[in-house]
């Protein structure tokens, strides 16, 4: 299984990052996190290292990277007529599925860590009058774990939409819906339940909020991955 | 099913069926494919050929019936089947953003070939397919014929015991198709692999297949060697060149019980008797009727004619 996964990852890296068009597309998509990592820490000041906004980069970067990579996973192979041959090989369903998830996940999460480090360098360059600034343990844990969990959520959701699409374009549109609808709900809910939410948040400290958020993401990730495992079965791919 | 573990059979199916809702794509298909042969699987578009290949690869489960490939049950041992077979399906399945070598490298790794084994085998196959000098080029820039050759190399990479080839020469120019056929024959002979080939090209079937099966609407309607298929309904035509083929004579020939079909083209008469006996009697009878005969030829029905006849019979 591990060797097979390595093989899938090897192929996915080659296919994803080969070609000038692909590289240009990634660079264009990364402009938003690059600007955020460069500007936010300067405007926020030294408090950047112990405030929750530092987590914004850790959430946005994987979304941007995975949003570009994951729709191509199954829908792209289907579109380019390479999926049939892959399914006719000896690789197991799980190997193919996880091979497709791992690469966007690693790249998205890795980029999130790199950009939060860049923003740390920027805040130090701009506001390090009182010595070196470092992220607090809570923010560091948030960056490392929450960015991984949110990247997993997007990768899992992206795989589900890609599995259910016949083209990369269709998969991209479905993924946008997958991202935007919950984002709208998250934005509207505080307006509707402002009092209850502020009361609850007042009862919790920063660590507890992160743990609660992490817990919700872990459960959601598990549900998404179970759905993806159920959805991706060879015999299901050939139903008329 | 008789002797299902027989080593001599690469494929054995018994009343294998597959339905999608109300549509029966494969209907009680019983096949036996001998190991080491090139087996032609023929049928019109939508006959169920691709579904049959998917069933045999264990990508789909049969709705009913049994099927074994290389001795493995397609329902329960599909992983074993896919590990020991190669496939060139409807599309080449080549990754266009990868080089030719990387395409083969990927599948070599999938089939757990060692690094040295992969290196040697890739060089061997690409050299045989006349692609070695372009190994590092992106496959997406290649012609269809070159991609098909690369796909064939990929299907044969891990030295499978059986390869499924779904219309490997479709859409290729004459030279590319001939090259694919040549490579196929060489591979089958040198590596003793069984080839399960679907094609619409009857000349191809006659050239390389030792056994064929014909399906229509998912049902098997004929099987045997190409020669047997051609002579299925005696398959012989008598071409008589000469003069004196009057309308009255044609009417009288039509009344003869041994004649199945008659065609007249100026000074040529083409007769299809029901069986091979009584041909000399027929010629003698024509001479007695005053026909001036210059030449009598016996022609075999082509495989294409036999195939078309089979399709028309089933439409009747």
């Amino acid at each position: 299984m591990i060797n097979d996964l390595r093989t899938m990852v090897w192929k996915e890296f080659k296919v994803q990052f080969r070609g000038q068009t692909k590289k240009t597309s990634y660079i264009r998509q990364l402009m938003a996190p690059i600007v955020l990592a460069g500007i936010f820490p300067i405007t926020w000041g030294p408090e950047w290292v112990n405030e929750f906004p530092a987590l914004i980069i850790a959430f946005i970067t994987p979304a941007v990277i995975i949003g570009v990579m994951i729709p191509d996973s199954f829908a792209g192979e289907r579109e380019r007529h390479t999926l049939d041959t892959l399914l006719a090989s000896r690789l197991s369903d799980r190997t193919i599925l996880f091979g497709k998830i791992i690469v966007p996940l690693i790249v998205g999460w890795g980029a999130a860590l790199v950009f939060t480090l860049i923003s740390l360098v920027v805040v130090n360059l701009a506001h390090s009058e009182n010595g070196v600034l470092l992220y607090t343990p809570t923010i560091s844990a948030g960056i490392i774990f929450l960015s991984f969990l949110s990247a997993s959520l997007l990768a899992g959701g992206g795989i589900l939409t890609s599995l259910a699409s016949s083209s990369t374009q269709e998969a991209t549109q479905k993924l946008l819906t997958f991202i935007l609808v919950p984002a709208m709900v998250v934005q509207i809910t505080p307006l509707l339940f402002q009092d209850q939410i502020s009361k609850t948040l007042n009862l919790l400290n920063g660590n507890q909020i992160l743990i609660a958020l992490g817990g919700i993401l872990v459960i959601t990730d598990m549900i998404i991955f179970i759905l993806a495992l159920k959805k991706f079965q060879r015999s299901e791919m050939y139903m008329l | 099913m008789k002797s299902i573990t027989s080593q001599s059979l690469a494929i054995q199916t018994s009343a294998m069926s597959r339905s999608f809702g109300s549509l029966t794509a494969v209907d009680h298909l019983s096949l036996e494919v001998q190991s080491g042969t090139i087996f032609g699987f023929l049928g019109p578009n939508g006959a169920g050929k691709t579904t049959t290949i998917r069933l045999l690869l264990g990508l789909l489960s049969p709705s009913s019936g049994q099927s074994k490939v290389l001795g493995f049950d397609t329902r329960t041992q599909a992983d074993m089947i896919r590990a020991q077979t190669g496939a060139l399906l409807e599309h080449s399945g080549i990754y266009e953003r990868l080089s030719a070598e990387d395409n083969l490298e990927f599948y070599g790794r999938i089939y757990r070939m060692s690094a040295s084994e992969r290196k040697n085998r890739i060089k061997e196959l690409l050299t045989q397919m006349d692609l070695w000098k372009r190994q590092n080029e992106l496959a997406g820039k290649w012609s269809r014929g070159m991609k098909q050759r690369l796909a064939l190399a990929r299907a044969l990479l891990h030295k499978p015991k059986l390869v499924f080839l779904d219309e490997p020469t479709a859409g290729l120019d004459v030279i590319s198709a001939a090259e694919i056929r040549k490579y196929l024959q060489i591979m089958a002979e040198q590596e003793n692999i069984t080839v399960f080939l679907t094609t619409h090209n009857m000349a191809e079937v006659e050239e390389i297949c030792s056994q064929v099966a014909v399906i229509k609407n998912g049902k098997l309607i004929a099987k045997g060697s190409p020669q047997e298929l051609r002579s299925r309904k005696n398959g012989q035509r008598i071409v008589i060149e000469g003069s004196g083929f009057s309308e009255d004579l044609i009417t009288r020939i039509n009344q003869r019980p041994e004649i199945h079909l008659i065609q007249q083209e100026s000074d040529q008469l083409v007769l299809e008797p029901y069986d091979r006996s009584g041909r000399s009697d027929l010629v003698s009878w024509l001479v007695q009727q005053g026909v001036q005969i210059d030449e009598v030829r016996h022609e075999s029905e082509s495989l294409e004619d036999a195939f078309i006849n089979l399709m028309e019979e089933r439409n009747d």
Side-chain angles (χ1 to χ4, degrees):
Chain A
M1 173 84 174
I2 297 297
N3 277 341
D4 290 343
L5 263 179
R6 277 173 53 194
T7 298
M8 271 301 291
V9 168
W10 176 85
K11 189 274 284 183
E12 287 296 312
F13 263 109
K14 286 231 166 196
V15 170
Q16 287 287 350
F17 296 105
R18 196 124 189 193
Q20 196 55 43
T21 319
K22 273 264 168 187
K23 283 174 192 158
T24 312
S25 167
Y26 289 127
I27 291 167
R28 205 169 46 230
Q29 295 297 320
L30 282 173
M31 289 315 288
I34 287 170
V35 170
L36 290 180
I39 295 172
F40 266 33
I42 297 171
T43 53
W44 209 267
E47 285 304 300
W48 174 257
V49 292
N50 50 28
E51 297 279 351
F52 280 104
L55 293 176
I56 290 172
I57 291 169
F59 277 99
I60 286 177
T61 311
V64 166
I65 299 276
I66 292 167
V68 178
M69 290 177 84
I70 206 90
D72 192 62
S73 56
F74 283 103
E77 291 237 17
R78 194 179 277 131
E79 208 170 22
R80 293 187 292 274
H81 306 293
T82 51
L83 188 59
D84 267 3
T85 307
L86 187 63
L87 295 178
S89 75
R90 55 160 290 284
L91 290 178
S92 68
D93 288 355
R94 285 184 178 201
T95 306
I96 296 173
L97 181 72
F98 287 120
K100 292 273 178 198
I101 290 175
I102 284 173
V103 173
L105 181 58
I106 290 174
V107 176
W109 186 43
L113 298 183
V114 168
F115 280 113
T116 46
L117 274 178
I118 289 172
S119 67
L120 184 66
V121 172
V122 170
V123 78
N124 271 287
L125 288 174
H127 305 286
S128 61
E129 298 84 8
N130 300 319
V132 178
L133 298 167
L134 291 172
Y135 290 122
T136 62
T138 304
I139 297 298
S140 300
I143 287 167
I144 294 167
F145 298 111
L146 291 186
S147 62
F148 178 77
L149 291 171
S150 64
S152 303
L153 179 66
L154 276 167
I159 281 287
L160 275 176
T161 56
S162 189
L163 276 169
S165 307
S166 55
S167 67
T168 308
Q169 193 181 6
E170 186 187 335
T172 307
Q173 286 165 353
K174 285 182 179 170
L175 182 62
L176 273 176
T177 313
F178 177 83
I179 295 170
L180 291 178
V181 171
M184 283 165 69
V185 171
V186 167
Q187 284 196 327
I188 292 168
T189 309
L191 300 175
L192 298 174
F193 306 99
Q194 204 167 5
D195 290 343
Q196 292 92 323
I197 289 172
S198 58
K199 273 180 195 168
T200 311
L201 287 178
N202 285 336
L203 293 172
L204 302 171
N205 61 31
N207 288 347
Q208 287 169 325
I209 292 170
L210 281 180
I211 289 167
L213 194 57
I216 292 167
L217 281 172
V218 166
I219 292 166
T220 319
D221 282 356
M222 282 171 68
I223 293 168
I224 295 278
F225 279 94
I226 289 167
L227 283 174
L229 279 170
K230 279 191 180 290
K231 177 85 183 164
F232 182 61
Q233 287 175 9
R234 276 177 165 87
S235 54
E236 294 297 313
M237 308 294 281
Y238 294 106
M239 295 311 286
L240 292 181
Chain B
M1 261 174 129
K2 56 178 181 181
S3 62
I4 203 146
T5 55
S6 168
Q7 292 297 305
S8 64
L9 291 177
I11 298 171
Q12 190 174 34
T13 71
S14 175
M16 179 177 76
S17 297
R18 173 69 204 204
S19 301
F20 299 95
S22 58
L23 174 75
T24 304
V26 175
D27 195 355
H28 291 85
L29 184 67
S30 295
L31 279 181
E32 285 188 348
V33 178
Q34 293 289 326
S35 294
T37 60
I38 301 183
F39 184 88
F41 194 52
L42 316 177
N45 290 333
K49 301 189 296 293
T50 301
T51 304
T52 302
I53 290 181
R54 285 174 179 166
L55 285 164
L56 295 175
L57 279 166
L59 298 170
L60 283 171
S61 283
S63 306
S64 63
Q66 286 180 292
S67 46
K68 293 218 168 193
V69 173
L70 301 173
F72 299 111
D73 191 301
T74 57
R75 267 201 191 89
T76 57
Q77 295 170 300
D79 294 350
M80 298 298 293
I81 293 169
R82 288 194 289 269
Q84 295 186 33
T85 56
L88 195 176
L89 302 174
E90 201 176 350
H91 301 281
S92 69
I94 293 297
Y95 290 99
E96 303 207 335
R97 290 183 208 152
L98 296 185
S99 69
E101 194 174 13
D102 281 347
N103 265 285
L104 298 187
E105 175 73 18
F106 174 51
Y107 277 91
R109 288 178 184 213
I110 285 180
Y111 287 101
R112 294 181 177 165
M113 297 167 75
S114 68
S116 61
E117 213 181 339
R118 287 199 302 268
K119 192 178 166 193
N120 294 335
R121 183 70 172 153
I122 289 170
K123 186 173 183 184
E124 180 192 346
L125 282 168
L126 288 182
T127 306
Q128 273 176 339
M129 302 286 173
D130 204 17
L131 299 169
W132 177 245
K133 286 178 184 167
R134 304 179 71 170
Q135 53 166 321
N136 293 320
E137 290 178 16
L138 288 187
K141 293 180 179 171
W142 282 7
S143 69
R144 191 178 153 87
M146 289 168 75
K147 283 181 197 166
Q148 282 296 91
R149 267 149 52 200
L150 178 61
L152 185 60
R154 184 202 57 220
L156 298 165
L157 184 66
H158 55 296
K159 298 187 177 175
K161 292 175 183 167
L162 166 68
V163 283
F164 293 95
L165 305 176
D166 197 354
E167 300 181 27
T169 57
L172 297 187
D173 62 71
V174 177
I175 294 166
S176 300
E179 280 175 346
I180 294 270
R181 278 196 293 277
K182 184 186 82 183
Y183 294 129
L184 214 52
Q185 278 178 305
I186 292 171
M187 296 299 160
E189 279 166 22
Q190 285 182 351
E191 304 188 10
N192 193 36
I193 55 171
T194 310
V195 179
F196 188 90
L197 171 80
T198 76
T199 179
H200 293 296
N201 185 338
M202 296 301 144
E204 186 166 280
V205 173
E206 293 209 86
E207 190 183 333
I208 62 174
C209 296
S210 56
Q211 291 289 310
V212 294
V214 183
I215 62 163
K216 190 181 178 192
N217 297 330
K219 286 182 182 158
L220 183 72
I221 56 172
K223 60 181 173 182
S225 67
Q227 293 76 13
E228 283 169 341
L229 217 66
R230 278 202 319 247
S231 55
R232 202 181 52 92
K233 284 181 61 179
N234 110 46
Q236 292 285 319
R237 295 189 301 186
I238 306 169
V239 181
I240 300 165
E241 287 187 7
S243 55
F245 304 128
S246 63
E247 275 186 30
D248 176 50
L249 179 73
I250 302 294
T251 312
R252 277 183 284 142
I253 295 172
N254 256 328
Q255 285 164 355
R256 289 182 69 93
E258 73 268 36
I259 299 300
H260 162 60
L261 204 73
I262 181 166
Q263 285 176 318
Q264 192 200 349
E265 292 165 16
S266 62
D267 54 355
Q268 181 177 288
L269 198 65
V270 181
L271 304 173
E272 273 191 28
Y274 278 107
D275 58 49
R276 289 161 197 264
S277 62
R279 282 184 209 162
S280 51
D281 290 349
L282 182 67
V283 174
S284 304
W285 180 81
L286 284 170
V287 172
Q288 282 169 15
Q289 301 304 308
V291 174
Q292 181 73 42
I293 296 178
D294 296 334
E295 189 185 354
V296 178
R297 285 197 315 272
H298 291 228
E299 286 183 352
S300 289
E301 188 182 38
S302 71
L303 189 60
E304 190 165 293
D305 289 336
F307 180 80
I308 292 168
N309 286 337
L310 266 169
M311 293 301 127
E312 285 171 351
E313 274 171 33
R314 296 287 155 164
N315 284 335
D316 293 342

